[in-house]
């Protein structure tokens, strides 16, 4: 019965000692928390934590422009943080003075007590971390952690350093991090080795940083080989991709301008100039290759000094652009004929540079337009068509008659060699590892060009469709680019109505090409090939037209047709095509059907 009383007496006897120990321990915690706050707060307010290392690195590298920019950012950040701190202190003091008029000393005592408790809790946590065993502390400090957990630039740099250290990459002092809408862009400096050693470990680094597949891009800095840039995409970098800018009414768009075709991962627009440059688009089915061709053709068709041809032996090509396409071919015979015409035009134009006073290269204008031949599914072309396309790549640049070739894979035949020699714009969607080597060169994979790590669309899942690596003038870094997406509904809804470019090349080029055309593989000598093409251009998508309508359309295309009579038109029709009664709008007149003309023309029919 005396046990409870004895226990109570022992508690009362030792209570002062235990209370003193607890108060001492809590005072220690409070002091630790206060000192931690002072050490962290004032360097942060002054910007020392975020900027002193990167500024020192810029001074070491003697990069005056970068040093000036970073010091200016440091100055602005310090002013902003100091001002915010002073405003908070002033607001707190005013609030306490107002509260003291109503509550008296409690208004000061209660906030002070709460602050001491908060500092004590923080100090207890800090002491608990400090008092870990050496093994636990080493493991905790060296383990990589998800980069999504990094909230400051210092934490992002530390996360990258730990991950690189885990894969055996040794770094020098000095690193820089920049927050992006999609994640972090971190620059590190290698102590030894080469950037390819880091790029080879990209898959393992994605695991250590807890990133999605394909979420880490690694590229060497072209200005300094030892520096490597890591772009860690925690979220989709193209989630808020702006749409293709609208053309202003009456705005003059030229093929000589630089056009935006999409957005790069770093937030800058992907701009290319299509004047006198060939392009190749490589991507497996579902990679967005056809959408890229549509975007390029849409931009070219809006130029007042350029026209587009659409050649596709295995699909619908650029049908969504409608009348903006100057010539459209789907059959192998028509594709061969179109490529032969383009090669003939490219061979003829250099002979006109002197008489026209153009200098070393053709100068496009509305009267003397450039020509861009878009060829989809290059691998499905006939051997003759492939040879003509390769020849166009080699001779078309000065004549401003260029080609945009698209294929599901790069082949190691003549195309592979020609791409490396003549193609200035290379767009690689999700493709094979070997396609990167054939298109960009064997050393580009080690520099971070990895479109083979992108995934094409699968079923209803878009994956990385529309994303690509763009190699062109001004785009020499391996940064993922998202091409503007243009579907049929978008093209229909766009305003103002598309200003279509010219429908035909100039008559000087066509006439000279007709005289220079090689006899091998051309239509029978009796047919006036260019005239029939002009007639089909007048028809457009119309299945039938009256004779006078055709003559009026021809007169708009070329002045030499202005004196033509119905008899002249009938004399230049392919063999077997004669005028007949055509009923349009309830009125019967003499005219022609388009189908017999196109069929006889593509079969090489002769004029009578």
């Amino acid at each position: 019965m005396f046990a409870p009383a004895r226990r109570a007496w022992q508690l009362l006897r030792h209570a002062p000692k235990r209370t003193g120990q607890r108060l001492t321990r809590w005072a220690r915690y409070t002091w630790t928390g206060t000192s931690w706050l002072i050490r962290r707060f004032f360097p942060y307010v002054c910007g020392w934590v975020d900027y002193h290392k990167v500024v020192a690195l810029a001074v070491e590298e003697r990069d005056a422009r970068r040093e000036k920019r970073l010091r200016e950012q440091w100055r602005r950040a310090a002013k902003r943080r100091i001002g915010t701190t002073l405003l908070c202190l002033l607001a707190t003091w005013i609030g306490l003075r107002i509260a003291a008029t109503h509550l008296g000393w409690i208004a000061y005592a209660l906030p002070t007590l709460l602050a001491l408790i908060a500092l004590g809790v923080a100090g207890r946590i800090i002491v608990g971390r400090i008092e870990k065993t050496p093994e636990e502390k080493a493991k905790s400090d060296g383990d990589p952690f998800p980069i999504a957990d990094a909230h400051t630039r210092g934490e992002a740099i530390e996360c990258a350093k730990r991950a690189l250290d885990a894969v055996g990459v040794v770094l020098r002092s000095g690193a820089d991090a920049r927050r992006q809408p999609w994640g972090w862009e971190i620059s590190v400096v290698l102590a030894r080795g080469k950037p390819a050693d880091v790029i080879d470990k990209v898959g393992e680094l994605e695991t250590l940083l807890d990133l999605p597949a394909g979420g880490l891009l690694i590229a060497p800095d072209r200005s300094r080989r030892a520096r490597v840039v890591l772009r860690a995409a925690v979220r989709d970098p193209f989630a808020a991709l702006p749409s293709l800018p609208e053309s202003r009414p009456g705005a003059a768009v030229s093929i000589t301008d630089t056009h935006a075709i999409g957005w790069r991962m770093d937030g800058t627009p992907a701009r290319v100039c299509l004047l006198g440059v060939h392009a190749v688009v490589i991507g497996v089915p579902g990679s967005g290759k056809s959408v890229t061709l549509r975007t390029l053709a849409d931009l070219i068709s809006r130029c007042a000094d350029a026209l587009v041809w659409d050649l596709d032996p295995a699909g619908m090509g650029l049908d969504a652009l409608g009348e903006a396409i100057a010539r459209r071919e789907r059959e192998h015979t028509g594709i061969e004929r179109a490529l032969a015409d383009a090669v003939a035009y490219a061979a003829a134009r250099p002979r006109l540079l002197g008489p026209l006073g153009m200098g070393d290269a053709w100068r496009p204008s509305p009267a003397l337009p450039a020509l861009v031949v878009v060829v989809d599914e290059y691998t499905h072309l006939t051997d003759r068509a492939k040879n003509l396309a390769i020849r166009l790549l080699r001779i078309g640049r000065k004549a401003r008659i260029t080609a945009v070739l698209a294929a599901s894979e790069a082949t190691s035949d003549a195309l592979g060699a020609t791409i490396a020699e003549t193609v200035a714009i290379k767009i690689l969607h999700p493709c094979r590892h070997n396609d990167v080597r054939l298109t960009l060169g064997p050393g580009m994979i080690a520099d971070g060009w990895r479109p083979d790590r992108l995934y094409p669309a699968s079923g209803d899942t878009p994956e990385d469709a529309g994303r690509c690596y763009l190699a062109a003038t001004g785009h020499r870094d391996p940064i993922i680019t998202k091409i503007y997406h243009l579907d049929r509904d978008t093209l229909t809804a766009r305003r103002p109505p598309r200003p279509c470019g010219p429908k035909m090349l100039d008559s000087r080029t066509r006439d000279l090409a007709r005289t220079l055309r090689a006899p091998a593989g051309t239509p029978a000598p009796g047919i006036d090939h260019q005239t029939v093409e002009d007639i089909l251009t007048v028809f457009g998508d119309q299945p039938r037209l009256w004779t006078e309508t055709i003559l009026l359309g021809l007169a708009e295309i070329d002045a030499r047709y202005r004196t033509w009579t119905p008899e002249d038109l009938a004399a230049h029709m392919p063999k077997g095509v004669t005028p007949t009664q055509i009923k349009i709008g309830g009125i019967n007149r003499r005219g022609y059907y388009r189908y017999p003309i196109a069929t006889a023309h593509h079969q090489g029919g002769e004029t009578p």
Side-chain angles (χ1 to χ4, degrees), residues 340-341 344-345 348 504 506-519 522 525 527-534 558 560-561 572:
D341 291 343
Y345 298 155
M504 296 293 296
D506 56 289
S507 58
R508 289 191 179 188
T509 300
R510 291 184 285 124
D511 291 342
L512 182 57
R514 188 181 300 114
T515 62
L516 297 177
R517 185 183 298 275
T522 56
I527 187 171
D528 189 347
H529 178 60
Q530 189 61 57
T531 298
V532 179
E533 281 187 0
D534 293 346
D558 198 320
R560 68 187 181 97
Y561 297 121
H572 286 79

Side-chain angles (χ1 to χ4, degrees), residues 361-416:
W362 192 267
R363 299 175 187 172
S365 65
L368 306 169
L371 170 62
V372 180
V373 182
V374 179
V375 182
D376 198 358
E377 298 298 344
Y378 168 84
T379 54
H380 291 271
L381 297 181
T382 62
D383 291 340
R384 179 172 182 267
K386 289 180 179 179
N387 293 333
L388 289 170
I390 297 302
R391 178 165 172 74
L392 180 61
L393 290 179
R394 290 173 174 161
I395 69 172
R397 185 181 64 82
K398 287 186 177 181
R400 303 314 189 211
I401 298 178
T402 56
V404 178
L405 305 182
S408 57
E409 61 184 31
T411 56
S412 56
D413 55 8
L415 177 62

Side-chain angles (χ1 to χ4, degrees), residues 231-252:
R231 295 179 175 89
V234 180
R235 59 193 65 88
D236 185 4
F238 304 107
L241 178 68
S243 59
L244 185 65
E246 298 284 353
S247 297
R248 293 178 299 172

Side-chain angles (χ1 to χ4, degrees), residues 57-68:
L57 180 61
V59 173
E60 178 187 349
E61 296 175 353
R62 299 181 180 179
D63 191 344
R65 174 181 289 182
R66 185 162 174 261
E67 179 188 355
K68 181 179 179 181

Side-chain angles (χ1 to χ4, degrees), residues 436-499:
V436 186
R437 181 182 63 81
L438 291 173
T439 306
L440 299 178
M444 300 300 283
I445 293 177
D447 286 342
W449 295 84
R450 298 301 304 271
D452 57 312
R453 299 186 72 240
L454 300 176
Y455 295 92
S458 176
D460 296 331
T461 305
E463 295 289 351
D464 295 322
R467 303 185 186 188
C468 64
Y469 282 77
L470 170 64
T473 302
H475 302 283
R476 301 304 182 192
D477 296 324
I479 300 178
I480 294 180
T481 300
K482 176 75 171 181
I483 304 295
Y484 289 126
H485 180 73
L486 284 179
D487 53 21
R488 292 178 180 272
D489 296 337
T490 304
L491 290 170
T492 303
R494 288 185 70 182
R495 54 179 181 82
R498 169 182 286 100

Side-chain angles (χ1 to χ4, degrees), residues 60 94 112 128 136 299 335 345 361 408 421 440 515 571 595:
E60 178 187 349
I94 293 175
T112 302
E136 292 176 343
L299 290 172
I335 292 174
Y345 298 155
S408 57
E421 296 173 358
L440 299 178
T515 62
Y595 179 75

Side-chain angles (χ1 to χ4, degrees), residues 47-341:
W48 179 264
V49 175
D50 294 329
Y51 290 97
H52 81 285
K53 289 185 178 179
V54 293
V55 171
L57 180 61
V59 173
E60 178 187 349
E61 296 175 353
R62 299 181 180 179
D63 191 344
R65 174 181 289 182
R66 185 162 174 261
E67 179 188 355
K68 181 179 179 181
R69 176 175 57 82
L70 289 172
R71 288 189 182 277
E72 181 63 27
Q73 293 178 0
W74 189 352
R75 191 178 300 109
R76 288 199 300 267
K79 288 181 179 179
R80 183 173 62 254
R81 294 175 184 179
I82 292 174
T84 303
T85 302
L86 293 177
L87 286 176
C88 291
L89 292 175
L90 179 61
T92 302
W93 181 76
I94 293 175
L96 291 175
R97 291 295 302 271
I98 294 174
T101 58
H102 301 283
L103 301 177
W105 61 270
I106 298 179
Y108 297 100
L110 185 60
T112 302
L113 180 61
L114 293 176
L116 291 175
I117 293 174
L119 291 173
V121 172
R124 184 174 182 179
I125 295 173
I126 295 170
V127 171
R129 291 179 178 177
I130 294 174
E131 293 178 351
K132 289 181 179 179
T133 63
E135 294 79 7
E136 292 176 343
K137 185 176 183 297
K139 182 178 180 180
S140 175
D141 290 344
D143 280 350
F145 57 90
I147 199 168
D149 295 343
H151 300 291
T152 65
R153 300 191 336 185
E155 291 179 353
I157 293 173
E158 180 65 22
C159 179
K161 286 182 176 179
R162 292 187 185 186
L164 291 170
D165 181 68
V167 297
V169 177
V170 182
L171 302 178
R172 293 173 54 187
S173 60
D176 188 15
R178 182 181 303 174
R179 188 187 295 276
Q180 299 288 355
W182 37 264
W184 291 96
E185 183 176 294
I186 306 169
S187 299
V188 296
V189 182
L190 302 181
R192 61 174 179 266
K194 52 185 182 295
D197 298 335
V198 186
I199 296 172
D200 291 341
K201 298 179 174 64
V202 62
E204 189 174 354
L205 289 172
E206 286 177 351
T207 301
L208 294 171
L209 297 174
D210 195 16
L211 290 170
L216 179 62
L217 300 182
I218 304 176
D221 191 330
R222 298 177 67 242
S223 62
R224 184 181 178 188
R225 191 67 178 177
R227 181 187 287 122
V228 178
V229 181
L230 286 74
R231 295 179 175 89
V234 180
R235 59 193 65 88
D236 185 4
F238 304 107
L241 178 68
S243 59
L244 185 65
E246 298 284 353
S247 297
R248 293 178 299 172
V253 182
S254 173
I255 191 69
T256 61
D257 298 334
T258 301
H259 301 276
I261 63 173
W263 286 91
R264 288 156 44 102
M265 184 177 175
D266 59 0
T268 59
R271 307 185 69 88
V272 296
C273 181
L274 300 170
L275 175 65
V277 297
H278 303 289
V280 63
V281 183
I282 304 296
V284 299
S287 62
K289 180 174 72 273
S290 297
V291 174
T292 298
L293 293 180
R294 188 182 300 162
T295 300
L296 294 174
D298 176 74
L299 290 172
I300 299 168
S301 68
R302 292 175 176 272
C303 298
D305 53 0
L307 62 154
V308 186
W309 287 4
D310 171 25
L311 312 181
D312 186 357
M316 299 177 62
L318 305 174
D319 287 349
L321 297 180
E323 296 181 356
I325 302 301
R327 183 173 179 178
R328 183 178 287 110
E329 299 290 350
R330 296 289 177 265
E331 302 297 330
H332 287 294
T333 304
I335 292 174
E336 290 180 6
R337 195 185 305 279
L339 289 171
D341 291 343

